[in-house]
Amino acid sequence: MTTNRALSDWVAQTANHTQPDRIHWCDGSDIEYRGLVDGMLKDGMLQELNQKTHPNCYLHRSNPQDVARVEHLTFICSHSQADAGPNNNWIDPQEAHAKIDALFKDSMQGRTLYVIPYCMGPSDSPLSRCGVEITDSPYVAANMKLMTRMGNVALKRIEQDGEFVKGLHSMGDLNPDRRFIMHFPEELTIKSFGSGYGGNALLGKKCHALRIASWQAKREGWLAEHMLIMGVENPQGETHYIAAAFPSACGKTNLAMLIPPESHRGWKIWTIGDDICWMHLGEDGRLWAINPEAGFFGVLPGTNPKTNKNAYDMITHDTIFTNVALTRDNRPWWEGLKEGSPVVDWQGRPYDGRNGTAAHPNSRFTVSAQQNPGYSPKSEDPSGVPISAIIFGGRRADVAPLVYEARNWIHGVLMGAGVASETTAAATGRVGVVRRDPMAMKPFCGYNFADYWNYWLSFADKSTTLPKIFHVNWFRQDKDGKFMWPGFGENLRVLRWILDRCDGKARGRETAIGYVPASGAIDTRGLDVDADTMRALLEVNPDKWRNEMQILDEYFSSYGERLPSRLREAHRQVAAALSR
Ligand code: GTP
Ligand code: SPV
Ligand code: MN
């Protein structure tokens, strides 16, 4: 099936260990996709949605115990525990292999083993990397077709390059007690057992493109980040590119697909990617970014024609819906859709409004990026796009202002390392609790955060033309718990200030934590936000910030001696400015 000996040997060994009934090598064709869907319709893994309103759209219901990433069951199995760091769960690699291999034994009996070659990034880009996922889930195979450059095109590149990341996945019996997501960065290997959901099972995404890739990137001199990539075209026809890191379910997809409000005729947003960004230092000293993915696995709740029209439109056909509710006429439904009403909940039970939400809060769509009306042709450019600004952000009801700018790269790294955000339904566990989520990478950095920050800092020594760094917070709330900033399309007003700052055009006011927009520097014409609210949105409260820096200091302490001294010093400077 392949001329790559390492691959054919691995498939043979795996088949021998897991005992599938059949082996299917995915070619990535549309006919193959059709076959996968038909098979799943037959065995109930997929259900047809209203084909008149939603042609080629299907519903998948996960096991109710398997609806999100499981961070407590996710491990980095490096030889040294210190290399994994306090930010990761760790097991010795030998022990980890023994434990998970025992689960894989005979786990594919009665099932088909799918071999899925995939390429992360444009297939002709030197920045792209390939992998092969072996899985017993046709749902995973179908999702990988939508999310990646999958099949023959990837296999061809693997046969040329020789190198690929090995990802082994089995649904097992979906028992959470027999579930592990294990990464062996030194072996470029992933083993995932017992979950069929998103980031746990679509191994090209978080497992490969972030956890393994972040490790590889550090060794090879690039960056693998949990960031969207977007182009902002102004009325003069110039496009600048932005990369932004927000934690899971904190607004990347929505920002990347932004539609300019009525007040901003002539502006246009281009989506390159909505979740993952690989950046390399170009010969010109700028950071150049590619989106390793080719599709979106996006959050449904909150998506409607007002918040995200492009997403709403692109998921009306050829889309897989996971864990949504249904209307009487068999259309998909989720909270915040603002039309229709659900009669069946995400678990297939009649819905009467009494048993919590109708759709699961982490219900998602899978769709090819080609269906996004704002998809940038630059997404296919093998050299990527040059990044003008990097934005970090979090979901904070309080403390963090709408936007502020770092003084320089080192300060920007501190800003990223200081990201904290309320937890969301994207991972199991409590929702709405503020936690540290540096660079939005807490669940995804494949090595010790102290080394990661040090690596980020080292870029300051390599280039003088790096992007400027900013922090945003769309989620500040007033006393009644209402969002103070309208968000969504109106976020363009903040992006304009950011890009004008990069151009040396917009006014900033210096504070202890960085520059915030000077009064009136953010264009609020035509916006129902008064001057008092703007002032509150941009407030840097010294007491709250001293507390914030104290908490960050304690967090940094858990990294001990490995914490880079430049980061410690940057923290000390901000803390000192706050106590003046
Ligand atoms: P992952 O796919 O988990 O990495 O998430 P993401 O960062 O792409 O998050 P997404 O854009 O899907 O947003 C998650 C939730 O935040 C959705 O319910 C959105 O409606 C909501 N949201 C996004 N942008 C804004 C905003 O500007 N303001 C407010 N209030 N909510 C927003
Ligand atoms: C996230 O949780 O950040 C996601 C969804 O983008 S998953 O693919 O499940 O990781
Ligand atoms: Mn994500």
Side-chain angles (χ1 to χ4, degrees):
M1 289 301 154
T2 176
T3 58
N4 183 303
R5 195 56 199 273
L7 177 54
S8 52
D9 285 355
W10 176 52
V11 171
Q13 279 159 15
T14 303
N16 192 36
H17 186 62
T18 60
Q19 291 294 308
D21 280 10
R22 285 168 299 276
I23 298 181
H24 175 95
W25 286 70
C26 291
D27 60 17
S29 64
D30 293 342
I31 293 173
E32 174 179 83
Y33 181 77
R34 190 66 246 170
L36 287 165
V37 167
D38 286 342
M40 287 188 280
L41 287 172
K42 219 175 275 161
D43 70 14
M45 197 176 251
L46 287 185
Q47 194 175 308
E48 225 172 47
L49 290 166
N50 186 327
Q51 293 297 298
K52 284 217 182 75
T53 57
H54 289 75
N56 302 318
C57 288
Y58 307 98
L59 164 66
H60 172 71
R61 289 196 184 108
S62 313
N63 180 307
Q65 304 250 57
D66 184 31
V67 292
R69 283 183 294 100
V70 281
E71 295 179 6
H72 61 297
L73 302 175
T74 300
F75 293 82
I76 300 296
C77 311
S78 46
H79 281 106
S80 140
Q81 180 168 10
D83 286 343
N87 46 307
N88 281 302
N89 301 313
W90 177 86
I91 313 182
D92 171 78
Q94 232 179 328
E95 198 186 323
H97 279 304
K99 198 166 177 158
I100 203 162
D101 288 350
L103 296 175
F104 274 108
K105 176 113 185 73
D106 301 336
S107 69
M108 298 191 187
Q109 271 177 6
R111 302 178 185 174
T112 298
L113 179 158
Y114 298 92
V115 184
I116 309 173
Y118 61 86
C119 182
M120 301 310 285
S123 54
D124 56 349
S125 170
L127 315 180
S128 301
R129 294 288 184 278
C130 289
V132 177
E133 175 164 358
I134 293 180
T135 180
D136 55 10
S137 161
Y139 169 79
V140 166
N143 274 267
M144 290 292 283
K145 152 86 173 160
L146 300 178
M147 301 285 303
T148 69
R149 285 118 177 139
M150 186 268 257
N152 289 343
V153 59
L155 189 58
K156 210 169 115 203
R157 177 151 169 170
I158 288 168
E159 289 174 346
Q160 276 162 14
D161 291 4
E163 191 181 83
F164 63 97
V165 169
K166 288 183 188 151
L168 175 57
H169 169 254
S170 172
M171 306 271 283
D173 57 6
L174 298 179
N175 181 345
D177 296 333
R178 292 154 51 78
R179 179 178 299 163
F180 293 103
I181 324 294
M182 291 176 168
H183 305 72
F184 304 86
E186 286 131 336
E187 304 165 39
L188 301 185
T189 294
I190 303 153
K191 293 184 179 178
S192 165
F193 190 91
S195 166
Y197 193 85
N200 300 331
L202 311 175
L203 302 186
K205 199 172 173 62
K206 298 306 179 13
C207 299
H208 177 167
L210 288 178
R211 298 195 190 95
I212 298 287
S214 60
W215 177 292
Q216 259 184 317
K218 179 166 180 289
R219 270 145 197 79
E220 298 173 9
W222 46 287
L223 290 161
E225 300 298 329
H226 191 206
M227 291 176 174
L228 67 88
I229 311 166
M230 70 196 291
V232 181
E233 183 179 333
N234 64 23
Q236 291 75 49
E238 299 155 348
T239 303
H240 291 96
Y241 295 94
I242 290 175
F246 310 149
S248 301
C250 289
K252 290 182 302 299
T253 304
N254 280 268
L255 190 66
M257 301 185 70
L258 182 154
I259 294 190
E262 274 300 308
S263 55
H264 283 64
R265 291 253 172 87
W267 290 81
K268 166 120 185 82
I269 299 300
W270 297 98
T271 313
I272 314 286
D274 81 327
D275 198 46
I276 300 176
C277 166
W278 287 356
M279 282 185 290
H280 299 244
L281 209 49
E283 279 167 18
D284 58 0
R286 292 191 291 176
L287 285 177
W288 289 74
I290 62 164
N291 171 16
E293 300 189 277
F296 307 125
F297 182 61
V299 173
L300 280 160
T303 305
N304 66 52
K306 284 224 167 85
T307 55
N308 192 347
K309 181 162 192 311
N310 280 345
Y312 178 85
D313 288 346
M314 85 177 163
I315 60 179
T316 53
H317 64 99
D318 298 279
T319 300
I320 299 175
F321 292 81
T322 299
N323 297 336
V324 288
L326 295 173
T327 63
R328 195 171 303 283
D329 62 349
N330 201 32
R331 299 187 201 200
W333 192 94
W334 51 89
E335 275 68 22
L337 172 61
K338 300 270 171 79
E339 64 187 34
S341 52
V343 296
V344 172
D345 79 0
W346 64 276
Q347 297 187 64
R349 306 173 301 194
Y351 184 70
D352 59 9
R354 271 180 286 192
N355 265 328
T357 58
H360 189 275
N362 192 33
S363 52
R364 294 196 178 239
F365 56 80
T366 317
V367 70
S368 160
Q370 308 281 350
Q371 285 182 209
N372 172 7
Y375 193 55
S376 167
K378 285 277 181 190
S379 309
E380 306 297 330
D381 190 325
S383 25
V385 295
I387 299 298
S388 300
I390 289 177
I391 306 178
F392 295 112
R395 186 186 279 269
R396 295 295 295 270
D398 197 13
V399 185
L402 178 63
V403 59
Y404 62 112
E405 178 194 341
R407 281 176 241 287
N408 52 46
W409 183 264
I410 307 277
H411 180 211
V413 175
L414 173 72
M415 216 153 158
V419 169
S421 193
E422 291 153 25
T423 50
T424 66
T428 56
R430 281 176 65 202
V431 167
V433 189
V434 175
R435 72 154 174 185
R436 314 300 327 171
D437 195 347
M439 279 82 168
M441 284 286 278
K442 165 69 188 73
F444 309 121
C445 183
Y447 61 101
N448 193 322
F449 258 150
D451 300 343
Y452 170 81
W453 297 322
N454 200 32
Y455 180 53
W456 260 83
L457 291 165
S458 75
F459 281 78
D461 312 323
K462 295 177 202 152
S463 169
T464 53
T465 44
L466 294 168
K468 276 188 182 278
I469 300 181
F470 299 81
H471 187 288
V472 301
N473 176 23
W474 313 138
F475 300 96
R476 195 113 164 205
Q477 293 176 19
D478 64 15
K479 284 186 204 71
D480 305 323
K482 273 185 50 195
F483 292 122
M484 294 161 73
W485 178 251
F488 302 104
E490 305 296 352
N491 292 332
L492 177 56
R493 297 171 189 266
V494 175
L495 299 184
R496 277 177 56 203
W497 182 79
I498 286 173
L499 288 173
D500 282 347
R501 287 295 289 176
C502 295
D503 243 8
K505 286 197 294 221
R507 284 176 305 126
R509 176 168 65 84
E510 186 156 15
T511 75
I513 64 166
Y515 300 97
V516 298
S519 169
I522 288 198
D523 178 2
T524 54
R525 276 173 302 176
L527 198 60
D528 188 21
V529 178
D530 60 29
D532 281 347
T533 307
M534 258 341 264
R535 221 167 295 135
L537 278 165
L538 297 174
E539 184 206 27
V540 179
N541 180 299
D543 283 338
K544 287 176 184 165
W545 270 98
R546 275 192 286 271
N547 183 50
E548 184 75 11
M549 294 308 282
Q550 175 63 35
I551 294 168
L552 184 56
D553 190 46
E554 282 158 25
Y555 175 66
F556 279 167
S557 304
S558 62
Y559 292 86
E561 286 301 301
R562 234 154 141 141
L563 188 79
S565 55
R566 283 196 278 189
L567 196 61
R568 207 186 304 256
E569 175 56 20
H571 177 280
R572 199 196 57 74
Q573 279 176 19
V574 173
L578 281 163
S579 35
R580 273 203 284 275

